[in-house]
Amino acid sequence: MYTVPKLADYSPEALKRAADELEAALNDQIRRVTNEDEWKSFRDRWLSRKNGILTRLNELWLKTAPPEARKEVGKCINRVRPFVEQRVEDQRLWMQAPTIEVVSPGIEVPAAELEQYARRIQLEKEKLDITLPGIPHPIGVKHPVLRVMDEIVAVFKAMGYSVGEGPEVETDYYNFESLNFPPNHPARDTQDTLFIAGQEGKPARDRLLLRTHTSPVQIRTMEQQPPPVRIVIPGKVHRNDPLDATHSPVFHQVEGLAVDTNITFCDLKGTLDHAMKALFGSSVKTRFYPSFFPFTEPSADMQVSCIFCGGKGCRKCKFSGWIELLGCGMVDPNVFDFVKQNGYDSSKVSGFAFGMGVERIAILKYEVEEIQLFYEGDVRFLEQFA
Ligand code: PHE
């Protein structure tokens, strides 16, 4: 630690040597100042009025000097004082704002000093602590709708089904006509179709629309391969439905189709009952309720025993004990007629089909209150599935 020495004599050489030593000590101490607290004791050591180094200079050098040397000693101290004060202040600025923009304007710093500061700042900026843990970049997870869709598909894959896909923009032929919706038949109205504009010049069956269900892929599949067929088709569908808690104009379905010789309604019931137990747990029951679809005969709505109350009746199942989940039925012979040339002779083969809404199943599985949550992309909702 530096203490102010008494001067042996007051010659200009001795004064110069003492001043150089003092500057060396100052430089040495500045290098050790790395934080606010260290700076404060550094400042006090040099500038404190009571016994800081500058005060000691007056006492040890000036007051003891013989009268003839006073002038020279005084000059020396008057040079040292602002120099020390400036260095202490510079160090404060450096501590508080380690950017070069703050150091330069308005503050008088010798060019060499400035360069040194700039260098320090640069080093500070480049400082790299390789022992710090890295910045984590969490990898994404499957969206809950996709997750449920994949789960449904996996259940059927395990039963030997293959997986297919089809276009989201369909022709009237595949979406309606080949599925036994006659032109102008009122059953088309139940599908609230979104049509592509400017198609009036085309024949009706070629007009494009956003598919209202995944059922058109039944026909596309049967066009591609002769029986037997066992396939599931996941995909996005659109309907002109206003958005509410349970409806969205865009949603997802998984379609199923099985065609072979001697396929009966029992196969349909057994297959779907197994699938529901795989999805919701083995205690869930299924029942089939008469319904209508132009492309199945007979048609049914399948219901599952309420997964919330186990069938006792609660608010979620409107106290019926049952929740309606999907549409299904035996493939209508009129549908087979559209693909007869590919081996689908309705006197030889039979089949069943079903279609389920993925969001609806996801809502039940995860007790989601509103369907919009699936589409808003809010991480607070989505991260629950991570
Ligand atoms: N496509 C029908 C719908 O979207 C569901 C369904 C598929 C019904 C297959 C029977 C057979 O409502």
Side-chain angles (χ1 to χ4, degrees):
M1 187 53 66
Y2 176 79
T3 48
V4 181
K6 283 197 176 118
L7 292 178
D9 62 80
Y10 297 88
S11 66
E13 296 76 32
L15 270 176
K16 168 116 181 34
R17 220 180 306 119
D20 285 349
E21 265 172 37
L22 180 138
E23 189 183 340
L26 179 69
N27 285 337
D28 185 49
Q29 289 185 19
I30 278 182
R31 268 199 298 280
R32 291 167 213 274
V33 175
T34 57
N35 61 41
E36 191 84 20
D37 286 344
E38 287 172 358
W39 178 82
K40 278 184 183 154
S41 50
F42 163 75
R43 175 199 60 192
D44 294 345
R45 204 175 311 127
W46 288 85
L47 304 183
S48 159
R49 280 204 198 291
K50 248 174 93 190
N51 48 28
I53 288 167
L54 289 184
T55 306
R56 303 284 293 157
L57 284 186
N58 281 338
E59 281 162 14
L60 287 174
W61 292 3
L62 195 61
K63 282 187 189 159
T64 58
E68 68 278 9
R70 281 233 169 126
K71 203 173 158 195
E72 275 310 306
V73 175
K75 265 194 199 164
C76 173
I77 289 177
N78 282 343
R79 271 199 309 276
V80 169
R81 180 190 304 283
F83 175 74
V84 172
E85 286 169 351
Q86 182 71 60
R87 294 297 302 272
V88 172
E89 172 65 3
D90 287 352
Q91 186 61 18
R92 184 184 66 80
L93 290 170
W94 156 245
M95 301 279 325
Q96 284 182 346
T99 66
I100 190 150
E101 293 77 25
V102 177
V103 174
S104 30
I107 301 158
E108 273 181 43
V109 184
E113 299 286 301
L114 193 59
E115 218 163 280
Q116 200 191 334
Y117 292 142
R119 176 91 192 108
R120 277 210 219 163
I121 288 160
Q122 196 56 34
L123 288 174
E124 192 64 27
K125 278 185 182 162
E126 286 171 9
K127 207 159 73 177
L128 176 69
D129 184 351
I130 57 164
T131 66
L132 281 174
I135 299 163
H137 294 287
I139 55 164
V141 293
K142 263 186 209 166
H143 189 279
V145 169
L146 189 60
R147 182 157 135 185
V148 170
M149 195 146 85
D150 286 352
E151 230 176 281
I152 298 166
V153 167
V155 166
F156 287 94
K157 262 179 151 175
M159 288 191 268
Y161 281 64
S162 57
V163 186
E165 276 183 327
E168 287 165 20
V169 177
E170 260 303 1
T171 59
D172 185 279
Y173 175 76
Y174 284 109
N175 199 79
F176 291 124
E177 192 179 328
S178 65
L179 288 167
N180 199 32
F181 288 82
N184 306 318
H185 190 282
R188 289 178 177 228
D189 295 348
T190 65
Q191 303 249 336
D192 296 310
T193 312
L194 290 159
F195 292 92
I196 306 282
Q199 305 270 304
E200 293 75 14
K202 287 186 181 172
R205 55 159 55 181
D206 294 339
R207 289 184 195 162
L208 296 173
L209 47 84
L210 299 180
R211 69 176 175 189
T212 56
H213 49 180
T214 41
S215 301
V217 195
Q218 288 186 30
I219 300 291
R220 288 183 174 277
T221 303
M222 291 190 281
E223 282 179 345
Q224 294 299 315
Q225 71 176 90
V229 170
R230 278 169 184 73
I231 193 169
V232 279
I233 303 129
K236 187 184 287 174
V237 302
H238 298 76
R239 287 191 197 174
N240 188 17
D241 268 345
L243 190 66
D244 67 23
T246 56
H247 293 85
S248 156
V250 187
F251 61 105
H252 299 78
Q253 288 187 331
V254 175
E255 188 82 11
L257 174 69
V259 184
D260 206 336
T261 49
N262 298 319
I263 297 256
T264 68
F265 205 95
C266 288
D267 299 310
L268 168 61
K269 285 181 77 171
T271 303
L272 289 179
D273 188 73
H274 168 79
M276 293 307 121
K277 287 180 163 64
L279 287 172
F280 293 109
S282 54
S283 60
V284 90
K285 293 191 188 70
T286 54
R287 75 175 185 186
F288 293 78
Y289 218 75
S291 184
F292 173 78
F293 300 100
F295 40 97
T296 47
E297 185 59 35
S299 301
D301 283 329
M302 189 209 69
Q303 304 176 342
V304 290
S305 55
C306 179
I307 58 167
F308 301 104
C309 64
K312 284 194 204 74
C314 66
R315 213 168 51 85
K316 300 251 188 192
C317 61
K318 300 198 182 86
F319 301 96
S320 70
W322 294 92
I323 292 177
E324 200 175 294
L325 213 53
L326 58 82
C328 58
M330 302 305 291
V331 178
D332 193 301
N334 291 346
V335 172
F336 283 139
D337 284 348
F338 283 94
V339 283
K340 204 172 186 166
Q341 71 291 353
N342 206 16
Y344 294 88
D345 179 343
S346 58
S347 66
K348 297 205 172 88
V349 295
S350 57
F352 64 77
F354 56 86
M356 58 186 101
V358 179
E359 280 83 348
R360 188 156 167 66
I361 292 175
I363 282 172
L364 292 175
K365 267 183 89 96
Y366 297 117
E367 299 192 38
V368 175
E369 296 287 328
E370 287 188 15
I371 198 168
Q372 285 111 296
L373 288 165
F374 289 127
Y375 313 116
E376 284 168 346
D378 188 330
V379 283
R380 290 169 300 183
F381 171 72
L382 295 174
E383 73 189 355
Q384 300 175 84
F385 300 91

